[in-house]
């Protein structure tokens, strides 16, 4: 397949791109409910129109050291099982991969976030 | 063929396969069972049509041959003898296996030998199959399960929103408003019940796979066992039925393996050679009770108590003082059965801990009764649905948690009750009893939370504890959502969305106890 469309997002100073097919929607991170004893990567649970979404911070897995941005967003994944989302600093763009600028690393968000 | 059709085919075909499975065993037990013949016929007939439509000619041929044979039985031109049964069983095997093959995208299995057996004695010819299929017609619409799930979820949210509205209505105290709310109340309750009913299915769907399993197991153990099911038509929410398969399997295995004796042993004890396992299902209000009874050797309670103490699960004194049911439940402790005790099939305890954990995680209970020499009954009491829960919303520091109401006996003001320290644990007095206190702020590592002013007295398998919370905020219905597996920790059972739109965790009271019992958590 040629030129898949990527959702390009920012974590610290780095940009990453994930195929748009795997992403259900992008929402602002609202109220988060902490989950006791969860892995450090788990940010918590958010309500998406009555559905519970588990939000995971992928910066450690992607080797990003910078702290969280001021108005983070959640890429809600389109995968079977319970709903999962990846926390990012901001969604920058949605574009064809051929046009994607140098330095945009393609990532498999579902694998980074882990199963529901 | 596009996959959506294949999925639907596989789903439906599996159901008909399960019917074949179940009804053939009925027919084997009662060759005169006309109803079984009718149902078998309908299943084979439908499968034939479905397989032909999907272009699976071998499956269609086998279903057709079964159908012909069943027509002959129905017309009494063919008797249900061993050869007939074996032919039908062979056909069933090919169909059931074939469905899974094509589901996995593999070619249809070879059907030649099954076809040969089905057609072998070539008794009477087929009549007009279409007529009979229309006889007991019901008007039914097939709806994909995920669409039903969405419907149940949404209506669940409506129920919760209604509770919130009722709260507001009470504060306003307007007569017209409260009339309208009362009407809305009844309507939403009806709506919820009806939507849930649309998703109910008979427990028999799960039970259908067990006769074969028990028969094979009995054969491998050198035992003779009859499995009898009553009330298989009792309906439960799909969410429960699907999850029941595993726990029931463990209970049945235990009964076959440890309960029922060998024929020789049974004869020496003056019992019939054949043992019986009964699965009796009945509905009690909004619960379903499933009793699995065997007429086997029973459980030697004195030995259970001694062994539990020996293994250090409880002190010798505690083991002796325990109620009978609690002592039976020692069997379900993960540490009870050790490898040496485990036979090829199951240890009494291995698997039973799975059963108890599951039953309790869905807000049900497990009761074991036994009479040495006479048999054992394991009762699973489970809710009709897992979707909605009566619960208390409590606050711990700035966080809120949901506690299933059925676990809560009382709410105690800790300042009035007084908390004392005893053997390094905090206890308080309730009902003339010393109850250990679990500070949820600590157990759940709530940042910046105090000790908690109230205690919810909760009970699980005869043990009590007080869960210290700051406030009890509300009582009402919540819709329980499953939690990602990786988030499940002892004491945490699910999540829900509260009236203000924020997510709260649903506590699993049994799990809080387990965490403590296993010494994993600072719960007491």
């Amino acid at each position: 397949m040629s030129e898949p469309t990527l959702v390009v997002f920012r974590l610290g100073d780095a940009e990453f791109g994930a195929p748009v097919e795997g992403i259900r929607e992008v929402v602002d991170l609202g109220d988060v409910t902490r989950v006791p004893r969860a892995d450090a990567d788990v940010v918590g649970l958010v309500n998406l129109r009555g559905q519970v979404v588990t939000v995971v911070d992928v910066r450690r897995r992607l080797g990003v050291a910078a702290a969280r941005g001021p108005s983070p967003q959640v890429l809600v994944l389109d995968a079977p099982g319970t709903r999962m989302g990846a926390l990012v600093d901001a969604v920058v763009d949605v574009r064809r991969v051929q046009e994607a600028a140098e330095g945009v690393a393609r990532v498999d968000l579902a694998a980074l976030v882990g199963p529901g | 063929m596009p996959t959506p059709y294949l999925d639907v085919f596989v789903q439906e075909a599996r159901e008909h396969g399960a019917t074949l499975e179940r009804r053939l065993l009925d027919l084997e037990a009662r060759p005169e069972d006309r109803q079984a013949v009718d149902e078998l016929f309908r299943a084979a007939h439908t499968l034939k049509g479905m397989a032909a439509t999907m272009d699976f000619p071998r499956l269609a041929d086998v279903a057709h041959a079964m159908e012909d044979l069943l027509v002959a039985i129905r017309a009494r031109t063919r008797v249900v003898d061993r050869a007939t049964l074996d032919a039908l069983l062979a056909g069933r095997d090919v169909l059931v296996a074939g469905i899974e093959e094509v589901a996995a995208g593999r070619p249809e299995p070879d059907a030649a030998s099954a076809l040969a057996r089905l057609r072998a004695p070539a008794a009477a010819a087929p009549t007009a199959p279409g007529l009979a299929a229309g006889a007991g017609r019901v008007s039914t619409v097939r709806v994909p399960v995920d669409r039903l799930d969405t419907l149940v979820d949404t209506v669940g949210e409506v129920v919760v929103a209604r509770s919130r509205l009722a709260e507001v209505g009470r504060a306003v105290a307007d007569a017209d408003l409260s009339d309208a709310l009362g009407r809305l109340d009844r309507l939403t309750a009806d709506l919820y019940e009806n939507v849930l009913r649309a998703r109910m299915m008979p427990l028999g769907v799960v039970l259908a796979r067990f006769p074969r399993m028990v028969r094979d197991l009995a054969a491998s153990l050198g035992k003779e066992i009859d499995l009898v099911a009553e009330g298989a038509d009792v309906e439960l929410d799909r969410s429960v039925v699907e999850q029941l398969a595993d726990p029931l399997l463990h209970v049945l295995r235990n009964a076959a393996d440890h309960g029922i004796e060998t024929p020789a042993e049974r004869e020496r004890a003056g019992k019939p050679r054949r043992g019986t396992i009964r699965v009796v299902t009945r509905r009690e209000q909004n619960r379903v009770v499933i009793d699995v009874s065997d007429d086997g050797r029973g459980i030697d309670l004195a030995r259970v108590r001694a062994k539990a103490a020996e293994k250090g699960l409880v002190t010798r004194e505690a083991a002796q003082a325990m109620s009978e049911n609690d002592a039976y439940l020692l069997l379900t402790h993960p540490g009870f059965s050790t490898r040496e005790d485990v036979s090829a099939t199951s240890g009494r305890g291995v698997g039973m801990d799975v059963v108890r954990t599951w039953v309790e995680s869905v807000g049900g209970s497990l009761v074991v009764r036994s009479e040495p020499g006479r048999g054992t009954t394991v009762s699973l009491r489970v809710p009709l649905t897992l979707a909605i829960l009566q619960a208390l919303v409590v606050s711990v520091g700035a966080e809120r948690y949901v506690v299933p109401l059925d676990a809560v006996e009382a709410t105690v003001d800790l300042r009035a009750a007084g908390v004392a320290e005893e053997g390094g644990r905090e206890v308080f007095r309730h009902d003339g009893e010393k109850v250990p206190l679990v500070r949820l702020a600590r157990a759940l590592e709530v940042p910046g939370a105090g000790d908690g002013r109230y205690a919810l007295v909760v009970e699980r398998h005869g043990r009590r504890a007080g869960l210290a919370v700051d406030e009890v905020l509300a009582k009402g219905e919540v819709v329980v959502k499953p939690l990602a597996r990786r988030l499940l920790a002892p004491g945490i059972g699910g999540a829900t969305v509260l009236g203000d739109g924020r997510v709260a965790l649903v506590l699993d009271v049994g799990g809080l106890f387990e965490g403590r019992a296993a010494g994993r958590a600072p719960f007491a």
Side-chain angles (χ1 to χ4, degrees):
Chain A
M1 293 306 227
S2 64
E3 303 197 358
T5 307
L6 295 186
V7 174
V8 179
F9 58 90
R10 198 168 48 73
L11 282 172
D13 296 329
E15 287 192 351
F16 302 88
V20 72
E21 291 79 24
I23 294 167
R24 189 183 168 88
E25 62 187 295
V26 181
V27 293
D28 292 338
L29 180 70
D31 291 326
V32 184
T33 300
R34 185 187 67 94
V35 182
R37 295 152 188 245
D39 300 338
D41 288 357
V42 174
V43 179
L45 305 172
V46 298
N47 169 15
L48 178 72
R49 295 186 302 277
Q51 288 204 42
V52 174
V53 180
T54 306
V55 181
V56 176
D57 193 341
V58 292
R59 70 189 62 227
R60 188 181 58 84
R61 300 277 310 262
L62 289 172
V64 174
R68 253 178 232 171
S71 48
Q73 291 183 299
V74 180
L75 302 182
V76 182
L77 305 189
D78 206 0
T82 49
R83 282 251 170 268
M84 304 296 286
L87 190 74
V88 302
D89 287 342
V91 170
V92 179
D93 198 3
V94 179
R95 62 186 170 221
R96 298 273 175 139
V97 79
Q98 294 267 292
E99 305 158 19
E102 283 287 313
V104 174
R106 281 185 65 174
V107 294
D108 178 355
L109 274 184
L112 286 171
V113 163
Chain B
M1 190 58 68
T3 32
Y5 296 115
L6 181 62
D7 284 348
V8 174
F9 166 78
V10 168
Q11 226 173 63
E12 278 188 43
R14 277 186 187 141
E15 283 172 33
H16 293 300
T19 306
L20 292 180
E21 190 100 46
R22 188 176 67 239
R23 286 313 213 168
L24 274 175
L25 285 154
D26 287 348
L27 194 62
E28 191 171 24
R30 296 182 303 275
E32 280 301 305
D33 191 341
R34 305 319 285 179
Q35 226 182 324
V37 176
D38 287 347
E39 256 196 77
L40 283 167
F41 169 81
R42 279 195 292 272
H45 177 73
T46 312
L47 274 170
K48 177 189 73 172
M50 288 165 55
T53 313
M54 291 295 291
D55 203 16
F56 296 129
R58 285 182 181 170
L59 298 185
D61 281 351
V62 173
H64 194 168
M66 287 180 79
E67 185 190 348
D68 287 350
L69 199 47
L70 288 158
V71 169
I73 293 170
R74 202 144 72 163
R76 299 192 184 271
T77 55
R78 173 92 184 231
V79 291
V80 182
D81 55 12
R82 194 64 248 172
T84 309
L85 273 170
D86 283 345
L88 288 169
L89 284 166
R92 186 271 327 266
D93 283 347
V94 172
L95 287 178
V96 169
I99 292 162
E100 298 311 319
E101 290 299 304
V102 302
R106 290 187 291 266
E108 297 173 80
D110 181 52
S113 107
L115 277 175
R117 290 172 84 166
L118 283 164
R119 290 169 177 163
T127 51
L131 289 177
R137 183 163 3 183
V138 220
S139 41
T140 312
V141 180
R142 280 197 170 264
V143 181
V145 154
D146 53 351
R147 209 176 293 170
L148 268 181
D149 289 349
T150 311
L151 198 59
V152 171
D153 282 356
T154 312
V155 175
E157 299 296 336
V158 171
V159 170
V160 174
R162 177 220 52 187
S163 309
R164 175 86 188 108
L165 193 59
E167 267 172 54
V168 176
R170 270 194 294 278
V172 174
D174 175 275
D176 285 346
L177 180 59
S178 102
D179 275 0
L181 282 173
R183 187 166 156 69
L184 181 65
D185 205 53
R186 286 188 298 278
L187 285 172
T188 41
D190 271 6
L191 179 64
Y192 186 70
E193 204 186 309
N194 280 309
V195 167
L196 213 52
R197 195 174 296 158
R199 199 174 66 165
M200 301 247 260
M201 52 201 265
L203 187 67
V205 176
V206 167
L207 295 179
R209 30 185 128 154
F210 293 138
R212 191 79 186 279
M213 190 272 295
V214 168
R215 202 171 58 177
D216 293 350
L217 189 56
S220 78
L221 294 167
K223 296 179 180 179
E224 293 169 22
I225 304 175
D226 286 326
L227 181 65
V228 182
E230 285 170 36
D233 53 346
V234 171
E235 292 195 323
L236 293 89
D237 185 26
R238 194 178 65 85
S239 58
V240 188
V241 172
E242 284 177 347
Q243 293 191 25
L244 260 170
D246 248 23
L248 276 178
L249 184 78
H250 285 298
V251 175
L252 282 172
R253 274 195 186 151
N254 270 316
D257 195 10
H258 300 277
I260 305 286
E261 313 90 329
T262 61
E265 270 178 83
R266 292 182 64 90
E267 275 180 346
R268 277 199 299 278
K271 294 176 171 182
R273 285 176 61 86
R274 294 187 75 81
T276 305
I277 301 175
R278 311 182 78 85
V279 181
V280 181
T281 310
R282 63 180 187 280
R283 171 130 178 218
E284 283 181 4
Q285 284 106 39
N286 58 349
R287 305 241 137 192
V288 168
V289 183
I290 305 164
D291 287 335
V292 181
S293 316
D294 66 64
D295 63 352
R297 60 172 69 93
I299 298 170
D300 181 347
L301 209 50
R303 251 194 69 209
V304 173
R305 290 185 201 267
K307 196 172 152 193
E310 221 170 87
K311 293 193 179 289
L313 305 180
V314 287
T315 63
R316 199 158 293 278
E317 299 72 45
Q320 293 310 322
M322 236 172 227
S323 75
E324 280 196 7
N325 193 51
D326 289 345
Y328 284 126
L329 289 179
L330 284 170
L331 289 168
T332 69
H333 195 287
F336 190 83
S337 281
T338 60
R339 197 157 280 281
E340 305 93 79
D341 309 320
V342 180
S343 67
T345 323
S346 61
R348 254 296 176 191
V350 176
M352 285 306 282
D353 65 324
V354 175
V355 177
R356 195 177 84 175
T357 307
W358 177 78
V359 168
E360 287 177 357
S361 75
V362 301
S365 60
L366 184 71
V367 176
V368 182
R369 294 182 301 271
S370 185
E371 221 178 305
R374 302 287 295 276
T376 301
T377 298
V378 177
S379 292
L380 287 77
R381 181 182 294 264
V382 297
L384 225 45
T385 174
L386 304 183
I388 212 158
L389 188 73
Q390 290 285 337
L392 292 179
V393 182
V394 300
S395 68
V396 182
E399 300 185 347
R400 287 175 300 174
Y401 290 91
V402 172
V403 183
L405 194 59
D406 71 338
V408 180
E409 284 181 1
T411 308
V412 174
D413 187 335
L414 286 172
R415 285 184 306 194
V419 178
E421 226 182 84
E422 203 166 85
R425 302 196 315 172
E426 289 184 300
V427 297
F428 64 99
R429 292 203 80 84
H430 172 67
D431 239 6
E433 199 187 307
K434 277 184 206 150
V435 181
L437 190 62
V438 178
R439 303 274 187 191
L440 282 186
R442 245 171 278 165
L444 302 170
E445 296 154 5
V446 182
D451 275 347
R453 175 173 165 189
Y454 298 97
L456 303 180
V457 181
V458 294
E459 196 248 275
R460 274 291 184 259
H461 19 280
R463 285 195 296 164
R464 277 173 163 177
L467 308 181
V469 303
D470 290 337
E471 298 284 346
V472 178
L473 301 172
K475 183 175 120 176
E477 285 155 330
V478 298
V479 179
V480 185
K481 318 270 182 186
L483 213 51
R485 265 172 208 283
R486 58 193 286 197
L487 301 183
L488 291 173
I492 294 170
T496 188
V497 177
L498 295 178
D500 65 355
R502 297 191 67 151
V503 177
L505 290 169
V506 180
L507 297 183
D508 161 23
V509 171
L512 283 170
F513 281 166
E514 284 309 314
R516 188 181 52 172
R520 283 194 295 253
F523 283 173

